[in-house]
């Protein structure tokens, strides 16, 4: 039966995939329709422009067409302009003309779109000439495409001229002009064009409204934005319009209204979440930004680059270092975002939270450094008093020919000179800014220079500089000079400067307080009284300083004279500043949850107050604590991350902490009390790690088996098995399903894989009993050879598979084989506690959610942050038998008798897969502990529990490996980085010699 052209065309109409299209292509060849121009054109069009198409296949077909039609040329040009490489569309357009084909009115919009995407205005102008010569200038869509091209190339004058020449302008032409102004940051003109459009009676569409709302947001034109909102409310709005309205109100500062509209949105996309988070961050409401980010995660949205940039900014402002580190790990794991942009934001976050070393590591790891990256690092060093390093970095930047410093860079450089007291260098940079780079000094540059000279006591020069300024000095500049007057006791100059400032009508009380202090030093009490009276008459109050204390991943603000409570975290501190001799009186300072990080956002008075608060804090730790036996005994550690506005204050606080509590940079001071004990992890590691005979290669370090791994989860059992091998186990076995076996084998030939487990989708109902018995038989053949099992990594939650594993656990108990339950194994155990209850050779290593389920099931309550040690102890006692390792910043381990803590080597910066490394490590160290303490393995009444020792050793090694990996890789740790460092870390702690 012969197939006609109509049938071919019908088949092409209903075609939905390249597989179907290739069959139709073959049919066209065999039916001799391959030269029929209409079916051939449709064939090429599907390949080039369909979502299911293949542009490369279209190009292959094109090569075999003798005389392609203009439609085919247009299809290929359109496909390339919509693809990832629009330059190919321009090349295709050139070929089309060289081969003698004349473009039509469909060709030009596709070519001009490619010019717009590549910002190639010269090529676009050539296309414009061609349009004029061929008479298509009067074509509406050709003219609109030209407008879009010029607007994309930032030539709005040419865009406006083309718009004026269009005789009958439709809504697309108006919208193109408005969008052009918006995209070129000319929001006022965009709003003006929209108002003119309304006068002309042209009805805007949704795209028009979105662009106008964006223009209102850029121009902070709240009045026009409200009118647009009212107009949109009269019609049906979609999620894009609703998001634009929320964004407009948020950027105009109406955050309350924006949040109300956001909460009422029936549907939200990632852009809506980003708009609200970004607005909170923009207006310094970092707490709300971070809270909304948490809500976004609960709602199931995955953060994109824009989200992370806003959240990192909020972390920097709020001092939320822990969250910032978590986001850093997420970025490393997902490779999300542009490297330089995200890297710069991470540097800024670390610098503002006091982690300048981490900021430097990220900076050094950037493959390409733009001016923003250099500037951020220079400012980060400068703000911490590391002026010399900042200036050295600036010299390196100048040697980089691809980067030119801008005006913000020089603000950082001048700040660095000011903090380091380098007056001559500061003056040289101030002049070279103009002479070398043509940068005109602005208010911030003059402010830095006045501050530099004032700090150095060169007040006359500073005053002369202010008088020579080509722009009117503001309050900040005069205040910098006034601050110098206070430091150097120049009362006469302070009088003149004070008069200048008062003429500018300051809105804050800081200037009056500063004047009052200067006059008080000079004994001019009448002037002091007058300054205070002026403050009272103008109803001005001194701005209270604000510090942040970070504990348990919570960042809690503290204001002078305030009392702050968060659950049982309570700090009550009121510090009175007595005189310049650093005499303080503190009413009270009580903390029941420790792990403290101080960040100051205000000036000297707060910093001194913070120092006093630390004095009382440390005094309470050492002198008062024993009197409060009812409070939970929790280890005290002072965080090294202490960022203040002044490097001198920073050094004083570090010295104060070291002096009073014996703090060193490597190890935090620890206090042991009650049932909560900081484990001596290194000693335990050295005790339980076997001394291997170099003449023997196998049979000394134990065999580990992993029970887990199904078709959906293959990474987890691999991580656990390979970690055991890297530490020193002789053999690692994995018992998994057949679907997972091939994949796990491909990861590493060192792992012995047994494909014996079965999932219910593979078997019939009547076969389940026999197959379950077969699985147990296969595993039992090997069971007595194993020193420890790891049950759960990658297990999944298939009911039949879990039933088989429960039988394996029962058999392991009968043979007194230790086992570690992790991952989905904890789901099984939580639902059937009899599997582990009363068995002292079991270890449970739950994550946050698994621990929450255990607490709910066993203790019948929610997890509490108050007294985590007591809660864990109660949980372990109630279950009775197994050791529980609760993972966190400090790992807590309990067998129901005591609670041990491991916090050595710092936080492991946990990321995906580290739980599997930990479970594999626990298995190895527990098996070694059982070898060292054979009596303890046989009896649960022994004073030493080998499973507890194994948990302590594994926890410490993971932390050590994470620390080594972070130092080596100069970035947040990945799972594979840590695995590679396990053996080296153990060798460092327990040398073979």
């Amino acid at each position: 039966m012969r197939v006609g052209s109509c049938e071919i065309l019908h088949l092409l109409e209903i075609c939905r995939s390249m597989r179907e299209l290739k069959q139709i292509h073959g049919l066209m060849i065999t039916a001799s329709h391959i030269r029929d121009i209409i079916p051939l054109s449709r064939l090429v069009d599907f390949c080039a422009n369909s979502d299911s198409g293949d542009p490369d296949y279209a190009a292959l077909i094109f090569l075999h067409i003798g005389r392609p039609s203009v439609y085919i040329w247009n299809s290929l040009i359109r496909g390339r302009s919509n693809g990832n490489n629009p330059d190919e569309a321009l090349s295709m357009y050139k070929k089309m003309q060289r081969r003698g084909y004349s473009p039509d009115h469909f060709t030009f919009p596709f070519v001009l779109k490619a010019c717009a995407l590549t910002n190639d205005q010269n090529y676009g102008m050539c296309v414009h000439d061609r349009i004029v010569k061929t008479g298509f200038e009067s074509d509406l869509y050709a003219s609109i495409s030209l407008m879009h091209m010029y607007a994309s190339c930032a030539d709005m004058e040419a865009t406006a001229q083309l718009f004026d020449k269009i005789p009958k302008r439709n809504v697309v032409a108006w919208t193109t002009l408005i969008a052009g102004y918006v995209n070129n940051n000319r929001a006022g003109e965009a709003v003006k064009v929209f108002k003119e459009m309304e006068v002309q009676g042209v009805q805007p569409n949704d795209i028009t409204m979105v662009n106008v709302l964006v223009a209102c947001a850029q121009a902070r034109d709240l009045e026009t934005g409200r009118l647009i909102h009212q107009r949109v409310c009269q019609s049906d709005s979609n999620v894009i319009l609703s998001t634009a309205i929320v964004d407009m109100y948020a950027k105009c500062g109406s955050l309350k209204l924006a949040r109300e509209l956001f909460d009422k949105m029936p549907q939200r996309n990632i852009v809506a979440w980003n708009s609200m988070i970004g607005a909170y961050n923009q207006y310094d409401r970092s707490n709300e930004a971070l809270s909304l980010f948490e809500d976004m995660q609960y709602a199931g949205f995955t953060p994109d680059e824009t989200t992370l940039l806003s959240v990192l900014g909020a972390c920097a402002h709020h001092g939320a270092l822990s969250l910032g580190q978590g986001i850093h790990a997420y970025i490393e794991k997902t490779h999300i975002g542009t490297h330089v942009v995200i890297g710069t934001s991470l540097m800024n976050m670390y610098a503002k939270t006091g982690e300048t070393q981490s900021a430097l590591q990220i900076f050094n790891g950037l493959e390409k450094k733009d001016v923003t990256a250099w500037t951020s690092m220079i400012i980060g060093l400068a703000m911490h008093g590391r002026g010399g390093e900042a200036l050295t970095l600036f010299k390196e930047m100048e040697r980089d020919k691809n980067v030119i410093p801008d005006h913000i860079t020089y603000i950082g450089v001048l700040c660095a000179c000011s903090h380091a007291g380098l007056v001559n260098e500061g003056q040289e940079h101030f002049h070279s800014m103009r002479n070398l780079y043509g940068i005109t000094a602005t208010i911030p540059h003059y402010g830095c220079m006045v501050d530099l000279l004032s700090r150095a006591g060169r007040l006359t020069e500073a005053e002369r500089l202010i008088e020579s300024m080509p722009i009117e000095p503001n309050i900040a500049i005069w205040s910098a000079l006034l601050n110098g007057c206070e430091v150097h006791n120049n009362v006469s100059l302070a009088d003149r400067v004070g008069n200048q400032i008062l003429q500018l009508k300051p809105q804050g009380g800081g200037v009056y307080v500063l004047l009052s202090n200067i006059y008080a030093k000079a004994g001019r009490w009448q002037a002091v009284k007058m300054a205070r009276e002026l403050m009272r008459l103008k109803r001005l109050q001194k701005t209270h300083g604000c510090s942040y204390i970070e504990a348990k991943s919570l960042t809690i603000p503290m204001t002078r004279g305030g009392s702050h409570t968060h659950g049982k975290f309570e700090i009550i501190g009121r510090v009175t500043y007595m005189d310049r001799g650093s005499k303080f009186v503190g009413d009270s300072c009580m903390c029941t949850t420790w792990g403290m990080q101080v960040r100051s956002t205000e000036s000297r008075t707060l910093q001194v107050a913070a120092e006093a608060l630390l004095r009382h804090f440390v005094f309470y730790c050492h002198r008062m604590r024993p009197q409060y036996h009812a409070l939970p005994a929790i280890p005290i550690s002072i965080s090294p991350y202490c960022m203040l506005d002044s490097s001198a204050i920073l050094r004083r606080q570090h010295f104060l902490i070291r002096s009073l509590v014996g703090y060193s940079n490597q190890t935090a001071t620890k206090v042991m009390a009650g049932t909560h004990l900081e484990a001596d992890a290194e000693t335990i590691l050295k005790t339980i790690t076997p001394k291997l005979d170099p003449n023997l290669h196998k049979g000394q370090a134990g065999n580990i088996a992993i029970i887990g791994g199904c078709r959906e989860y293959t990474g987890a059992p691999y991580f656990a098995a390979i970690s055991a091998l890297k530490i020193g186990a002789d053999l690692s076995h994995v018992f998994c399903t057949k679907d997972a076996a091939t994949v796990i084998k491909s990861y590493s030939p060192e792992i012995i894989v047994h494909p014996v487990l079965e999932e219910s989708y593979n078997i019939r109902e009547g076969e389940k009993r026999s197959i379950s018995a077969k699985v147990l038989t296969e595993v039992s053949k090997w069971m007595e050879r194993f020193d420890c099992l790891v049950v759960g990594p990658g297990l999944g939650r298939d009911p039949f598979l879990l039933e088989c594993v429960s039988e394996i656990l029962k058999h392991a108990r009968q043979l007194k084989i230790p086992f570690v339950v992790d991952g989905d194994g904890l789901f099984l155990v939580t639902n059937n506690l009899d599997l582990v209850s009363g068995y002292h050779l079991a270890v449970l290593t739950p994550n946050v959610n698994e621990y929450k389920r255990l607490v709910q099931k066993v203790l019948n309550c929610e997890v509490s942050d108050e007294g985590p040690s007591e809660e864990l102890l109660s949980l372990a006692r109630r279950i009775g038998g197994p050791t529980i390792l609760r993972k966190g910043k400090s790992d807590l381990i309990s067998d129901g008798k005591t609670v041990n803590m491991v916090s050595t080597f710092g936080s492991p910066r946990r990321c995906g897969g580290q739980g599997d490394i930990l479970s594999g490590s626990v298995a190895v160290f527990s098996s070694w502990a059982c070898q060292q303490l054979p009596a303890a393995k046989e009896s649960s009444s022994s004073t030493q529990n080998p499973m507890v020792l194994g948990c302590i050793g594994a926890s410490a090694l993971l932390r050590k490996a994470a620390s080594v990996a972070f130092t080596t890789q100069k970035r947040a740790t990945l799972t594979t980085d840590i695995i590679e460092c396990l053996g080296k870390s153990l060798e460092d702690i327990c040398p073979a010699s």
Side-chain angles (χ1 to χ4, degrees), residues 394 398 405-411 414 426-442 445-446 449:
F394 178 67
E398 288 186 305
D406 60 13
H407 65 288
I408 301 175
T409 311
Y410 269 98
I411 292 173
L414 294 173
Q427 290 176 324
E428 288 175 11
H429 286 300
F430 184 73
H431 295 304
S432 69
M433 176 178 71
R434 180 178 63 253
N435 299 333
L436 291 180
Y437 299 104
I439 299 171
T440 304
T442 60
H445 299 107
Y446 281 107
M449 281 305 299

Side-chain angles (χ1 to χ4, degrees), residues 121 128 143-166 169 173-181 184 186:
Q121 187 173 354
H128 189 178
S143 297
I144 291 171
S145 298
L146 279 168
M147 286 175 59
H148 176 65
M149 183 274 296
Y150 281 117
S152 298
C153 297
D155 190 348
M156 287 308 300
E157 286 67 31
T159 307
Q161 288 173 10
L162 281 165
F163 177 78
D164 292 337
K165 290 179 182 179
I166 298 174
R169 303 165 192 147
W174 286 96
T175 302
T176 303
L177 182 62
I178 292 168
Y181 281 126
N184 286 285
R186 294 166 68 171

Side-chain angles (χ1 to χ4, degrees), residues 646-661:
S646 164
S647 59
I649 296 293
L650 177 65
R651 288 193 296 273
R652 288 214 307 273
Q653 291 215 4
H654 275 199
F655 176 77
L656 172 69
I657 293 167
R658 291 192 201 100
S659 301
L660 294 179
V661 300

